[in-house]
Amino acid sequence: MSRLYSVGKEEAMLAVFSIVPVGVGSSIGDQLAEVLKVVDASGLPYKINAMGTVVEGEWDDVMKLIKQCHSTVKKTGERAFTTIAIDDRKGRPGRLEEKVKSIERRIGKSLKK
Amino acid sequence: MSRLYSVGKEEAMLAVFSIVPVGVGSSIGDQLAEVLKVVDASGLPYKINAMGTVVEGEWDDVMKLIKQCHSTVKKTGERAFTTIAIDDRKGRPGRLEEKVKSIERRIGKSLKK
Amino acid sequence: MSRLYSVGKEEAMLAVFSIVPVGVGSSIGDQLAEVLKVVDASGLPYKINAMGTVVEGEWDDVMKLIKQCHSTVKKTGERAFTTIAIDDRKGRPGRLEEKVKSIERRIGKSLKK
Amino acid sequence: MSRLYSVGKEEAMLAVFSIVPVGVGSSIGDQLAEVLKVVDASGLPYKINAMGTVVEGEWDDVMKLIKQCHSTVKKTGERAFTTIAIDDRKGRPGRLEEKVKSIERRIGKSLKK
């Protein structure tokens, strides 16, 4: 599937998203595990952190993935809150790794990741 | 164009989005005016506030509109930050008006809008 | 209480926030009604919409209010997700009303609010 | 400074924040480097990613740090957009590391971080 994606082209953007299932109790780890399976299988470059998943790709590929994740949560629950933040900069692919490194170079110090 | 949209069907969700053009100076009103022209012409039910635009519709319709708005900003600038928050609840259309009214009924008081 | 706030001073900023109680079921209107009572009683200028509450004030006043709202939700639930977005522009008070009007002047048309 | 913080107490929450300086051009790395210096010096447990900084601590400690970061950006620019998302769960400290591990245990697979 990954060959369908276009990271490395000029049009790639960064996005972070998180989904909060509502109405399934205060433990939402099972739902999030299903979401991360979808992300991991997508072939899109990603990195997860304690508050969300960062992905890199073209608009349509990223949004297709997020829709798939959101739908996964809606399958087992009747309400979901999804937040998405996009940083789209012309001609800057490869930023999933590069953006943090660029800050570290400026500071001259390795940061916690 | 509005007849293409499906608000009123069970699948409608609420979304709020905002776009910050970066690299065009600290006054971004001209870019946002172009965005709001796109929103107003879309036929999707919407309400703007000082921090973003709330729209109601199906996932694909809402995301198509936000992509169009984001692209509008990218035409005149080289970087844009877009944030989206979605509240998707099964079987609850018409919430652009209803959600606030439902809070007001609970409080028994009209709130500032 | 409102005289304690400093909107109108140069340092006022705009913020929008929303709180999602998790673990209390998919109907969260009762919790949000309690939150809006706190907002309405605060004396800070505000406007609610279907996806959040926009407030205007100095950083400390705004954050004090949001903490109070977040705590209100935590009283009856064991988990809460709160999102906050801030637009802080030097020397621009009164933007709760003015920001939308400024877009409308640029477009030459009244927008849905 | 770290001994002033209270991570490990029951009241710790997770927050992710990001700041977009507006009006200083489309390259904002210098401003973000200053922000990360503040974070790194704070003593609060943190992890940065390509879209934001995740911190763990009590509400007041976290908000004090974010205010300091926001002020750092305002020193050299006239406008800043700051977004904050909070996941606050009773009796769950140490989640900066644990939350991702808990997902990995459910999936039975290591994810990209």
Side-chain angles (χ1 to χ4, degrees):
Chain A
M1 191 169 181
S2 70
R3 77 200 151 88
L4 296 177
Y5 289 117
S6 43
V7 173
K9 285 198 206 164
E10 213 168 294
E11 300 80 3
M13 64 185 199
L14 280 177
V16 61
F17 71 98
S18 68
I19 306 176
V20 179
V22 172
V24 295
S26 63
S27 175
I28 58 179
D30 288 342
Q31 286 76 16
L32 298 190
E34 293 306 309
V35 165
L36 267 304
K37 279 185 200 168
V38 172
V39 173
D40 194 53
S42 74
L44 264 194
Y46 77 88
K47 281 177 187 283
I48 71 163
N49 62 68
M51 290 296 286
T53 302
V54 184
V55 289
E56 185 169 19
E58 293 199 358
W59 182 284
D60 289 343
D61 293 336
V62 166
M63 287 306 178
K64 190 179 144 190
L65 173 60
I66 296 174
K67 183 185 179 182
Q68 218 180 329
C69 293
H70 181 88
S71 302
T72 298
V73 168
K74 283 296 293 295
K75 260 181 236 161
T76 57
E78 65 171 72
R79 192 171 191 174
F81 283 83
T82 292
T83 54
I84 307 166
I86 294 157
D87 174 9
D88 184 8
R89 191 171 178 192
K90 257 178 205 154
R92 294 288 180 106
R95 292 196 301 146
L96 186 60
E97 300 284 351
E98 176 52 26
K99 223 175 135 186
V100 171
K101 281 182 191 159
S102 142
I103 302 291
E104 290 179 320
R105 277 195 302 270
R106 273 169 229 258
I107 302 184
K109 184 179 175 180
S110 182
L111 296 165
K112 285 168 202 156
K113 285 170 291 279
Chain B
M1 189 168 182
S2 69
R3 75 202 153 88
L4 297 176
Y5 290 116
S6 44
V7 173
K9 284 198 207 166
E10 215 167 292
E11 299 81 3
M13 64 185 199
L14 280 178
V16 61
F17 72 97
S18 68
I19 306 176
V20 179
V22 172
V24 295
S26 61
S27 175
I28 59 180
D30 288 340
Q31 285 77 16
L32 298 190
E34 293 306 311
V35 164
L36 267 305
K37 280 184 201 168
V38 172
V39 172
D40 193 55
S42 75
L44 266 193
Y46 77 87
K47 280 179 188 281
I48 72 164
N49 62 68
M51 290 297 285
T53 303
V54 184
V55 289
E56 185 168 21
E58 293 200 357
W59 182 286
D60 289 343
D61 292 337
V62 166
M63 287 306 178
K64 189 178 143 191
L65 172 60
I66 297 175
K67 183 185 178 182
Q68 215 180 330
C69 292
H70 181 89
S71 302
T72 298
V73 168
K74 283 296 293 296
K75 259 181 235 159
T76 56
E78 65 171 72
R79 192 171 192 174
F81 283 82
T82 292
T83 54
I84 307 166
I86 294 158
D87 174 9
D88 184 9
R89 191 171 180 191
K90 258 177 205 154
R92 295 289 180 106
R95 294 198 300 145
L96 186 59
E97 300 285 349
E98 176 52 26
K99 224 175 134 186
V100 171
K101 281 181 192 160
S102 143
I103 301 293
E104 291 178 320
R105 278 194 302 269
R106 279 174 161 95
I107 304 183
K109 183 178 174 182
S110 182
L111 295 165
K112 286 169 201 157
K113 285 168 293 278
Chain C
M1 191 170 179
S2 69
R3 75 201 153 87
L4 296 176
Y5 289 115
S6 43
V7 173
K9 282 197 206 167
E10 214 168 294
E11 298 83 2
M13 66 186 196
L14 280 178
V16 61
F17 71 99
S18 68
I19 305 176
V20 179
V22 172
V24 294
S26 62
S27 175
I28 58 179
D30 287 342
Q31 285 78 15
L32 298 190
E34 292 307 309
V35 164
L36 267 304
K37 278 185 201 167
V38 172
V39 172
D40 193 55
S42 75
L44 264 193
Y46 76 88
K47 281 178 188 279
I48 72 162
N49 62 69
M51 290 295 286
T53 302
V54 184
V55 289
E56 185 168 21
E58 292 200 357
W59 181 285
D60 289 343
D61 294 336
V62 166
M63 287 305 177
K64 189 177 145 193
L65 172 61
I66 297 174
K67 183 184 179 182
Q68 216 180 329
C69 293
H70 181 89
S71 302
T72 299
V73 168
K74 282 296 293 297
K75 259 181 233 160
T76 56
E78 64 172 72
R79 192 170 192 174
F81 283 83
T82 292
T83 53
I84 307 166
I86 295 157
D87 173 10
D88 184 9
R89 190 170 181 192
K90 256 177 205 154
R92 295 287 181 108
R95 292 197 302 144
L96 186 59
E97 301 284 351
E98 176 53 26
K99 225 176 134 187
V100 171
K101 280 182 193 160
S102 141
I103 301 292
E104 291 179 320
R105 277 195 302 268
R106 279 173 162 97
I107 303 184
K109 183 179 174 182
S110 183
L111 295 164
K112 286 169 201 155
K113 286 169 291 275
Chain D
M1 191 171 181
S2 69
R3 77 202 152 85
L4 296 177
Y5 290 116
S6 42
V7 174
K9 284 197 207 166
E10 213 168 294
E11 299 83 1
M13 66 185 197
L14 281 178
V16 60
F17 71 97
S18 69
I19 306 176
V20 179
V22 172
V24 295
S26 62
S27 174
I28 59 180
D30 287 341
Q31 285 78 16
L32 299 190
E34 292 307 309
V35 164
L36 267 304
K37 280 186 200 168
V38 172
V39 173
D40 193 56
S42 75
L44 264 194
Y46 77 88
K47 281 180 188 282
I48 71 162
N49 63 68
M51 289 297 287
T53 301
V54 184
V55 290
E56 185 167 20
E58 293 199 357
W59 181 286
D60 289 344
D61 293 337
V62 166
M63 287 306 178
K64 189 178 144 192
L65 173 59
I66 296 174
K67 183 185 179 182
Q68 217 179 328
C69 292
H70 181 90
S71 302
T72 298
V73 168
K74 284 295 296 294
K75 259 181 233 161
T76 56
E78 64 173 71
R79 191 171 193 175
F81 283 83
T82 292
T83 54
I84 307 166
I86 294 158
D87 173 9
D88 184 8
R89 192 171 178 190
K90 257 178 204 153
R92 295 288 179 107
R95 293 197 301 145
L96 186 58
E97 300 284 351
E98 177 51 26
K99 223 176 137 187
V100 172
K101 281 181 191 159
S102 143
I103 301 291
E104 291 178 320
R105 277 194 303 269
R106 281 174 160 95
I107 305 185
K109 182 178 175 183
S110 183
L111 296 165
K112 286 170 201 155
K113 285 167 293 277

